[in-house]
PDB file of all heavy atoms in Angstrom:
ATOM      1  N   SER A  90     -40.770 -14.813   9.637  1.00  0.00           N
ATOM      2  CA  SER A  90     -42.127 -14.610   9.210  1.00  0.00           C
ATOM      3  C   SER A  90     -42.675 -15.910   8.894  1.00  0.00           C
ATOM      4  O   SER A  90     -41.983 -16.909   8.700  1.00  0.00           O
ATOM      5  CB  SER A  90     -42.129 -13.726   7.991  1.00  0.00           C
ATOM      6  OG  SER A  90     -43.471 -13.657   7.472  1.00  0.00           O
ATOM      7  N   GLN A  91     -44.058 -16.000   8.754  1.00  0.00           N
ATOM      8  CA  GLN A  91     -44.744 -17.241   8.329  1.00  0.00           C
ATOM      9  C   GLN A  91     -45.937 -17.034   7.469  1.00  0.00           C
ATOM     10  O   GLN A  91     -46.483 -15.868   7.696  1.00  0.00           O
ATOM     11  CB  GLN A  91     -45.055 -18.207   9.533  1.00  0.00           C
ATOM     12  CG  GLN A  91     -45.628 -17.549  10.687  1.00  0.00           C
ATOM     13  CD  GLN A  91     -45.566 -18.476  11.909  1.00  0.00           C
ATOM     14  OE1 GLN A  91     -44.809 -19.416  11.937  1.00  0.00           O
ATOM     15  NE2 GLN A  91     -46.338 -18.138  12.805  1.00  0.00           N
ATOM     16  N   GLY A  92     -46.272 -17.946   6.690  1.00  0.00           N
ATOM     17  CA  GLY A  92     -47.564 -17.798   5.833  1.00  0.00           C
ATOM     18  C   GLY A  92     -47.974 -19.143   5.468  1.00  0.00           C
ATOM     19  O   GLY A  92     -47.255 -20.190   5.643  1.00  0.00           O
ATOM     20  N   ALA A 115     -45.363 -16.326   3.132  1.00  0.00           N
ATOM     21  CA  ALA A 115     -44.589 -15.874   4.236  1.00  0.00           C
ATOM     22  C   ALA A 115     -43.820 -14.658   3.973  1.00  0.00           C
ATOM     23  O   ALA A 115     -43.499 -13.757   4.937  1.00  0.00           O
ATOM     24  CB  ALA A 115     -43.710 -17.095   4.693  1.00  0.00           C
ATOM     25  N   LEU A 130     -35.128 -17.007   3.292  1.00  0.00           N
ATOM     26  CA  LEU A 130     -34.712 -18.402   3.426  1.00  0.00           C
ATOM     27  C   LEU A 130     -35.633 -19.294   4.188  1.00  0.00           C
ATOM     28  O   LEU A 130     -35.906 -18.920   5.280  1.00  0.00           O
ATOM     29  CB  LEU A 130     -33.428 -18.197   4.296  1.00  0.00           C
ATOM     30  CG  LEU A 130     -32.274 -17.246   3.633  1.00  0.00           C
ATOM     31  CD1 LEU A 130     -31.368 -16.832   4.665  1.00  0.00           C
ATOM     32  CD2 LEU A 130     -31.666 -18.023   2.415  1.00  0.00           C
ATOM     33  N   PRO A 131     -36.232 -20.301   3.437  1.00  0.00           N
ATOM     34  CA  PRO A 131     -37.181 -21.160   4.069  1.00  0.00           C
ATOM     35  C   PRO A 131     -36.537 -21.882   5.265  1.00  0.00           C
ATOM     36  O   PRO A 131     -35.401 -22.333   5.226  1.00  0.00           O
ATOM     37  CB  PRO A 131     -37.642 -22.161   3.105  1.00  0.00           C
ATOM     38  CG  PRO A 131     -36.648 -21.977   1.969  1.00  0.00           C
ATOM     39  CD  PRO A 131     -35.902 -20.755   2.066  1.00  0.00           C
ATOM     40  N   ARG A 132     -37.294 -21.974   6.415  1.00  0.00           N
ATOM     41  CA  ARG A 132     -36.676 -22.477   7.635  1.00  0.00           C
ATOM     42  C   ARG A 132     -37.299 -23.962   7.757  1.00  0.00           C
ATOM     43  O   ARG A 132     -36.560 -24.906   7.680  1.00  0.00           O
ATOM     44  CB  ARG A 132     -37.132 -21.623   8.847  1.00  0.00           C
ATOM     45  CG  ARG A 132     -36.605 -22.181  10.060  1.00  0.00           C
ATOM     46  CD  ARG A 132     -36.708 -21.310  11.328  1.00  0.00           C
ATOM     47  NE  ARG A 132     -36.361 -22.076  12.527  1.00  0.00           N
ATOM     48  CZ  ARG A 132     -36.388 -21.495  13.680  1.00  0.00           C
ATOM     49  NH1 ARG A 132     -36.511 -20.296  13.789  1.00  0.00           N
ATOM     50  NH2 ARG A 132     -35.954 -22.157  14.719  1.00  0.00           N
ATOM     51  N   ASP A 133     -38.687 -24.019   7.764  1.00  0.00           N
ATOM     52  CA  ASP A 133     -39.315 -25.288   7.655  1.00  0.00           C
ATOM     53  C   ASP A 133     -40.698 -25.123   7.371  1.00  0.00           C
ATOM     54  O   ASP A 133     -41.208 -24.055   7.176  1.00  0.00           O
ATOM     55  CB  ASP A 133     -39.152 -26.021   9.085  1.00  0.00           C
ATOM     56  CG  ASP A 133     -39.655 -25.287  10.195  1.00  0.00           C
ATOM     57  OD1 ASP A 133     -40.487 -24.381  10.088  1.00  0.00           O
ATOM     58  OD2 ASP A 133     -39.310 -25.679  11.398  1.00  0.00           O
ATOM     59  N   PHE A 134     -41.406 -26.264   7.148  1.00  0.00           N
ATOM     60  CA  PHE A 134     -42.876 -26.167   6.730  1.00  0.00           C
ATOM     61  C   PHE A 134     -43.772 -26.910   7.629  1.00  0.00           C
ATOM     62  O   PHE A 134     -43.326 -27.756   8.498  1.00  0.00           O
ATOM     63  CB  PHE A 134     -42.929 -26.907   5.228  1.00  0.00           C
ATOM     64  CG  PHE A 134     -42.084 -26.116   4.287  1.00  0.00           C
ATOM     65  CD1 PHE A 134     -40.795 -26.420   4.100  1.00  0.00           C
ATOM     66  CD2 PHE A 134     -42.614 -25.087   3.455  1.00  0.00           C
ATOM     67  CE1 PHE A 134     -39.961 -25.707   3.155  1.00  0.00           C
ATOM     68  CE2 PHE A 134     -41.909 -24.456   2.515  1.00  0.00           C
ATOM     69  CZ  PHE A 134     -40.590 -24.769   2.441  1.00  0.00           C
ATOM     70  N   ARG A 141     -42.290 -28.665  11.500  1.00  0.00           N
ATOM     71  CA  ARG A 141     -40.866 -28.972  11.180  1.00  0.00           C
ATOM     72  C   ARG A 141     -40.498 -29.882  10.127  1.00  0.00           C
ATOM     73  O   ARG A 141     -39.690 -30.778  10.256  1.00  0.00           O
ATOM     74  CB  ARG A 141     -40.173 -29.423  12.664  1.00  0.00           C
ATOM     75  CG  ARG A 141     -40.447 -28.344  13.739  1.00  0.00           C
ATOM     76  CD  ARG A 141     -39.842 -28.792  14.889  1.00  0.00           C
ATOM     77  NE  ARG A 141     -38.411 -28.712  14.876  1.00  0.00           N
ATOM     78  CZ  ARG A 141     -37.623 -28.217  15.689  1.00  0.00           C
ATOM     79  NH1 ARG A 141     -38.051 -27.736  16.826  1.00  0.00           N
ATOM     80  NH2 ARG A 141     -36.369 -28.367  15.586  1.00  0.00           N
ATOM     81  N   GLY A 154     -47.928 -24.644   5.307  1.00  0.00           N
ATOM     82  CA  GLY A 154     -47.489 -23.342   5.922  1.00  0.00           C
ATOM     83  C   GLY A 154     -45.980 -23.365   5.899  1.00  0.00           C
ATOM     84  O   GLY A 154     -45.329 -24.320   5.696  1.00  0.00           O
ATOM     85  N   ALA A 155     -45.320 -22.201   5.745  1.00  0.00           N
ATOM     86  CA  ALA A 155     -43.909 -22.002   5.643  1.00  0.00           C
ATOM     87  C   ALA A 155     -43.323 -21.042   6.663  1.00  0.00           C
ATOM     88  O   ALA A 155     -44.059 -20.061   6.998  1.00  0.00           O
ATOM     89  CB  ALA A 155     -43.465 -21.592   4.248  1.00  0.00           C
ATOM     90  N   ARG A 156     -42.316 -21.384   7.336  1.00  0.00           N
ATOM     91  CA  ARG A 156     -41.619 -20.332   8.183  1.00  0.00           C
ATOM     92  C   ARG A 156     -40.321 -19.933   7.413  1.00  0.00           C
ATOM     93  O   ARG A 156     -39.630 -20.691   6.956  1.00  0.00           O
ATOM     94  CB  ARG A 156     -41.188 -20.999   9.485  1.00  0.00           C
ATOM     95  CG  ARG A 156     -42.304 -21.230  10.551  1.00  0.00           C
ATOM     96  CD  ARG A 156     -41.758 -21.297  11.862  1.00  0.00           C
ATOM     97  NE  ARG A 156     -41.073 -22.402  12.156  1.00  0.00           N
ATOM     98  CZ  ARG A 156     -40.328 -22.680  13.334  1.00  0.00           C
ATOM     99  NH1 ARG A 156     -40.255 -21.817  14.223  1.00  0.00           N
ATOM    100  NH2 ARG A 156     -39.511 -23.795  13.385  1.00  0.00           N
ATOM    101  N   VAL A 157     -40.145 -18.597   7.450  1.00  0.00           N
ATOM    102  CA  VAL A 157     -38.848 -18.147   6.628  1.00  0.00           C
ATOM    103  C   VAL A 157     -38.098 -17.202   7.459  1.00  0.00           C
ATOM    104  O   VAL A 157     -38.704 -16.512   8.359  1.00  0.00           O
ATOM    105  CB  VAL A 157     -39.314 -17.518   5.286  1.00  0.00           C
ATOM    106  CG1 VAL A 157     -40.019 -18.439   4.350  1.00  0.00           C
ATOM    107  CG2 VAL A 157     -40.208 -16.279   5.508  1.00  0.00           C
ATOM    108  N   HIS A 158     -36.849 -17.006   7.209  1.00  0.00           N
ATOM    109  CA  HIS A 158     -35.966 -16.009   7.662  1.00  0.00           C
ATOM    110  C   HIS A 158     -35.684 -15.057   6.646  1.00  0.00           C
ATOM    111  O   HIS A 158     -35.178 -15.314   5.519  1.00  0.00           O
ATOM    112  CB  HIS A 158     -34.731 -16.598   8.139  1.00  0.00           C
ATOM    113  CG  HIS A 158     -33.655 -15.791   8.760  1.00  0.00           C
ATOM    114  ND1 HIS A 158     -33.708 -15.217  10.128  1.00  0.00           N
ATOM    115  CD2 HIS A 158     -32.651 -15.052   8.231  1.00  0.00           C
ATOM    116  CE1 HIS A 158     -32.735 -14.458  10.363  1.00  0.00           C
ATOM    117  NE2 HIS A 158     -32.020 -14.366   9.227  1.00  0.00           N
TER     118      HIS A 158
END
Side-chain angles (χ1 to χ4, degrees):
S90 176
Q91 46 195 14
L130 304 160
R132 181 171 172 177
D133 56 19
F134 297 86
R141 303 180 69 134
R156 284 200 297 170
V157 296
H158 180 82

